[in-house]
Amino acid sequence: MKQVNIRSAKNLVMTFLMFSATVAVLIPLAIIFIHIAKMGFSSISLDFFTSIPKPTGETGGGMANGIVGSGVLIAMASAIGLPIGIFGAIYLVEYGGGKLSSIIRFAADVLNGIPSIITGMVAYTLIVVPMKGFSALAGAVALALIMIPIVLRTAEEQLKMVPNSLREASLALGVPLWRTTFRVTLRSALKGVATGVLLAIARIAGETAPLLFTALGNMFWSKKLTEPIAAMPLQIFNFAISPYEDWHRLAWAGALVLVMFMFTISLATRYFSRQRN
Amino acid sequence: MGIKLKLEGVNVFFGNNRAVKDVNIDFHANMVTAIIGPSGCGKSTVLRSINRMHDMVPSARVTGKILLDQTDIYEKNADPVSIRRRIGMVFQKPNPFPAMSIYDNVIAGYKLNGRANRQESDEIVEGSLKRVALWDEVKDRLKKSAMELSGGQQQRLCIARTIAVRPEVILMDEPCSALDPIATAKIEELINELKEQYTVAIVTHNMQQAARVSDYTAFLYLGELIEFDRTGKIFTNPEKKHTEDYITGRFG
Ligand SMILES: Nc1ncnc2c1ncn2[C@@H]1O[C@H](COP(=O)(O)OP(=O)(O)O)[C@@H](O)[C@H]1O
Ligand SMILES: [Mg+2]
């Protein structure tokens, strides 16, 4: 009888500890979310999405150029990073990868671990210096370097999960390996690969450091991809460290929009991963 | 009748492991040749060397000659893709394309190669499904997923998919091992009909099945061909003691 009591007491303590741990995980998330929502909602207006920042001292203005700039940077980085990541994974899994496989995997893991500020410095040396100026292009390359290992590794995992019997069914019908890869294997791994792509986009959407000396940011509409371009994280950073109350409000609004964007992507990822099977 | 396919001194290596040793088998045109032997003796490995499926396995290496109409399919400039169009394969576990409808599965060989025209497709699908006696069972649900079919129906669908591309040789790797006796009987009946038009090679671990469906039988053991002869001879009066022990169930 006594033993049973001790056991149920232990059980109660453990349950309480685990419950506390769960709460400890949720609390920071809730604090961040509530705080950003409180500060951001009051500052969001139609202007925030439609106008560019006003010169210092004037009130109002928005982050339209930052939102569009982030969109442009993400699109360009995806255009560079997705093909490299996905084709790399196809090479590793479908074409055996040969002696290069372990080198590619190692390079991807190292690239994944490199602090993003250093990725920015690399893009600076590779593109900003030779082209003699900060540019959207340089920013996109820096972001692509962050995307590649994420996409490559997730796509590799997903392709490996496609059963061999499916590839063989196609090959045995006289379908060449490359067609089999795109129309059977990749298609069957599509949702998983899409999840990896979304995760990579979510990751780069919030990156500030690699843009500091590549895309640089500006206060107006950019006209060329070889010129500096605004981006939301850069604008949030610049406005937050400015001494102006009005800009602080814009920074909060920007933070809220960015967090909502991430939230949407997380939901989409969950949707995709639940869809499988 | 001529010899459609000839294995001459075929070896298959996986790394340093020689899984198939110096095998010679003649596959007669419009006949069924069975490959029997205990599990792990290299039956699948022999069969897969015939349509160059080992190309996908980096560690695998095939030596010797495999002559299809006197031309070596492992010749330097032989094209594995066109060889696989001439030598189709049906696998142990039915493997229809899960994301495709019944109709699309049958026409997959054309569709995946990007050459399927509507009118022609309809004819090929109907013809192939009738050939495997599946048409009446599925004609009202051609657009439904192939995964809704029973195992036996899926296997007949896979055979329909294989004959849709009009191969000359059909390889079957234990095509009934995942099926119940009724479905098995249907497939065996089908094999008997298929040989009118095709050269058939079937791997089976079921000796009654080999005796029922095949004209020639090859007995493999530990990667070596022990005996190859007319099925009647193998099952009534084998040359080798080893063969006799196996077919009478004394080992394996
Ligand atoms: N992909 C492979 N990689 C390495 N070894 C293999 C592979 N496939 C088959 N083998 C080897 O070849 C031998 C014969 O296998 P298999 O042809 O599948 O036998 P069976 O079909 O007669 O049961 C086995 O011993 C196995 O270890
Ligand atoms: Mg086998």
Side-chain angles (χ1 to χ4, degrees), chain A residues 165 168 171 174 176 179 187, chain B residues 48 84-85 95 99 112-113:
Chain A
S165 62
E168 290 183 343
L171 292 170
R179 274 187 187 274
R187 191 175 179 287
Chain B
R48 294 161 66 84
R84 293 190 197 113
R85 273 181 208 153
N95 57 353
L112 293 174
N113 270 323

Side-chain angles (χ1 to χ4, degrees), chain A residues 81 85 107-113 144-155:
Chain A
D109 289 344
V110 171
L111 200 56
N112 205 12
L145 286 175
I146 298 171
M147 279 186 111
I148 289 168
I150 304 175
V151 173
L152 187 122
R153 289 304 238 159
T154 40

Side-chain angles (χ1 to χ4, degrees), chain B residues 9-22 45 49 54 57-64:
Chain B
V10 171
N11 293 281
V12 184
F13 298 84
F14 293 104
N16 289 325
N17 171 28
R18 188 165 162 220
V20 170
K21 298 164 192 155
D22 200 23
T45 305
S49 66
H54 295 308
V57 183
S59 70
R61 194 162 51 87
V62 179
T63 65

